[in-house]
Amino acid sequence: MMLTMLLFAFLSVVVTVLSPSVLPVLPFLLSGAIGGRARPYGITGFVASFTAFTLSLNGFVAVLGISGDAQRLISVGLLLAFGLTLLIPALHTAFESLSARAVGSLSREGW
């Protein structure tokens, strides 16, 4: 039984890594986060919002005419910046403070 579960877990990771998008994996990933009778609706909502956000962002980037290379560089820069905030406590504290102020100002404005 344990060997079967390990094999299934390994195959799940392989499929996740080889998947061109996280969208096919999202319902399975989020199904553990939502419990009870509302599970199908919650998963459908997550998938729908993820799809809408992705399509909107894709359209926005196409309208702006940002090249694939520029998108890649921006993505790498963001990943590096967020990674550094996890590694360096001073950056983490500064980012946390900045984020809290931004969320606080949005909530005061009625967002």
Side-chain angles (χ1 to χ4, degrees), residues 82-95:
F82 284 124
L84 288 174
T85 62
L86 292 174
L87 290 174
I88 302 170
L91 287 178
H92 177 78
T93 304
F95 180 74

Side-chain angles (χ1 to χ4, degrees), residues 3-17:
L3 183 61
T4 305
M5 290 177 65
L6 286 173
L7 181 62
F8 181 72
F10 176 75
L11 289 175
S12 298
V13 170
V14 169
V15 168
T16 304
V17 169

Side-chain angles (χ1 to χ4, degrees), residues 49-71:
S49 63
F50 181 80
T51 303
F53 176 76
T54 303
L55 291 175
S56 300
L57 185 61
N58 190 13
F60 183 68
V61 168
V63 166
L64 290 178
I66 300 173
S67 71
D69 288 336
Q71 292 176 38

Side-chain angles (χ1 to χ4, degrees), residues 19 24 26 31 35 38 43 50-51 60 63 68-69 72-73 77 80 87 89 100 111:
S19 177
L26 201 56
S31 66
I43 293 171
F50 181 80
T51 303
F60 183 68
V63 166
D69 288 336
R72 196 171 303 110
L73 287 175
L80 182 63
L87 290 174
W111 282 84

